[in-house]
Amino acid sequence: MTSLPEYVDRMKDTEGQDKIYFVTGEGKKAAEIAPAMEKMKAKGYEVLYMVDPLDEICSQSIVDFDGRKLVDINKAGLDLDKTEDEKSKFEKLTKDYEEVAAWLKKQLGERVQKVEIGDRLVDSPATLVQGEWGMSPMMQRYMKSQTTSSSQDSAFAMGSRNQAILEINPEHPVIQKLRTMQQTAPDSEETEDMVMMVYETAALIGGYNIEDPGEFAKRVTKLMVNMGPEPGSAGVVDAEAA
């Protein structure tokens, strides 16, 4: 456990940091593996783990502390300091992948509010983020658990409007491959599976529920089958022949 004054005191030793960063999650492990943590670790920024729903509620009422804004790294619009070269590179990537983002939105439909090109990821191909006033998956589940049966419908209505934004990492090989597939075979079953895998893995890591776990399992199984050599091919012992 730590306090905001202690965090601010440690900030003084971190070059370029002028905000208090935090991430929400249902437990420390969930917070640690949030895809947005990748860039924060690369930049050496300390991030507060807010693992209780009440933490998120409090963070929305504490706009700033000691003159420093509190920033949820899982919200849209995360603005990290960039060099001129980094800005130029990101602008080019955004232009190169804006067609892919528009196509992905069309493919995913109402599952996401929109698709954007982001720069908060390092090792992950995509992540789901909320808008500035959106609620995290943890908060959504908490709010749902607090509703009475008579108000359940209004809670579901609130959740349907609280859609996430899919943010893609244009420097990841999976997104680069998806771009090629979009240009060469946009209507193929393989391309459709790839789109859904990108979206569903981002949802699972982000703490969201996916629509059809059975279909997700089928896609993973198909991917595993396609990864290896055919049975009986060179280097693989055929059970019947053996």
Side-chain angles (χ1 to χ4, degrees):
M1 301 294 288
T2 191
S3 67
L4 290 178
E6 290 172 329
Y7 180 98
V8 169
D9 190 55
R10 290 191 293 270
M11 277 178 59
K12 297 170 184 175
D13 297 325
T14 307
E15 185 178 351
Q17 184 180 355
D18 59 356
K19 301 179 182 70
I20 297 173
Y21 296 109
F22 70 90
V23 62
T24 60
E26 293 179 284
K28 183 180 176 182
K29 185 62 178 178
E32 284 178 336
I33 65 172
M37 285 294 297
E38 297 167 1
K39 182 59 69 74
M40 308 309 287
K41 290 176 181 176
K43 284 186 168 290
Y45 292 163
E46 181 180 0
V47 181
L48 295 172
Y49 297 157
M50 294 195 174
V51 296
D52 189 290
L54 292 179
D55 293 339
E56 188 170 344
I57 294 173
C58 290
S59 70
Q60 293 174 350
S61 62
I62 306 174
V63 179
D64 63 71
F65 177 82
D66 195 26
R68 293 167 173 83
K69 185 178 179 181
L70 270 70
V71 175
D72 184 346
I73 65 171
N74 275 335
K75 292 287 179 72
L78 179 66
D79 184 19
L80 299 175
D81 292 331
K82 292 190 281 285
T83 64
E84 289 303 317
D85 287 343
E86 289 173 333
K87 289 178 182 177
S88 177
K89 180 181 179 181
F90 181 64
E91 287 173 2
K92 183 179 185 306
L93 286 171
T94 299
K95 184 176 181 179
D96 290 344
Y97 280 82
E98 59 185 5
E99 185 178 334
V100 178
W103 173 75
L104 277 171
K105 171 60 178 118
K106 184 177 179 181
Q107 296 298 109
L108 293 170
E110 296 304 310
R111 293 182 182 91
V112 294
Q113 180 183 336
K114 56 184 173 180
V115 178
E116 296 181 342
I117 295 93
D119 62 349
R120 81 181 72 209
L121 301 176
V122 177
D123 302 316
S124 298
T127 186
L128 285 176
V129 300
Q130 287 290 333
E132 183 179 359
W133 302 108
M135 294 186 295
S136 71
M138 176 177 67
M139 179 58 70
Q140 291 181 43
R141 282 189 281 273
Y142 173 76
M143 295 296 288
K144 181 180 175 182
S145 70
Q146 300 304 306
T147 60
T148 62
S149 57
S150 61
S151 61
Q152 201 71 291
D153 289 341
S154 63
F156 282 125
M158 177 185 64
S160 66
R161 292 193 299 269
N162 192 37
Q163 289 181 320
I165 298 165
L166 180 67
E167 196 171 283
I168 59 173
N169 176 8
E171 297 189 89
H172 196 282
V174 167
I175 301 302
Q176 293 170 354
K177 180 179 180 181
L178 191 58
R179 182 191 184 200
T180 301
M181 295 170 75
Q182 179 254 332
Q183 294 171 340
T184 58
D187 301 319
S188 71
E189 183 179 342
E190 184 181 7
T191 301
E192 182 181 344
D193 284 343
M194 177 71 84
V195 169
M196 290 305 298
M197 285 289 287
V198 167
Y199 166 71
E200 289 171 335
T201 52
L204 286 173
I205 295 173
Y208 295 84
N209 295 323
I210 57 176
E211 297 172 13
D212 193 334
E215 284 300 313
F216 175 73
K218 288 179 183 178
R219 279 188 279 271
V220 173
T221 301
K222 189 190 301 185
L223 178 64
M224 289 190 292
V225 169
N226 293 336
M227 283 175 61
E230 292 294 325
S233 61
V236 179
V237 177
D238 188 290
E240 188 174 341

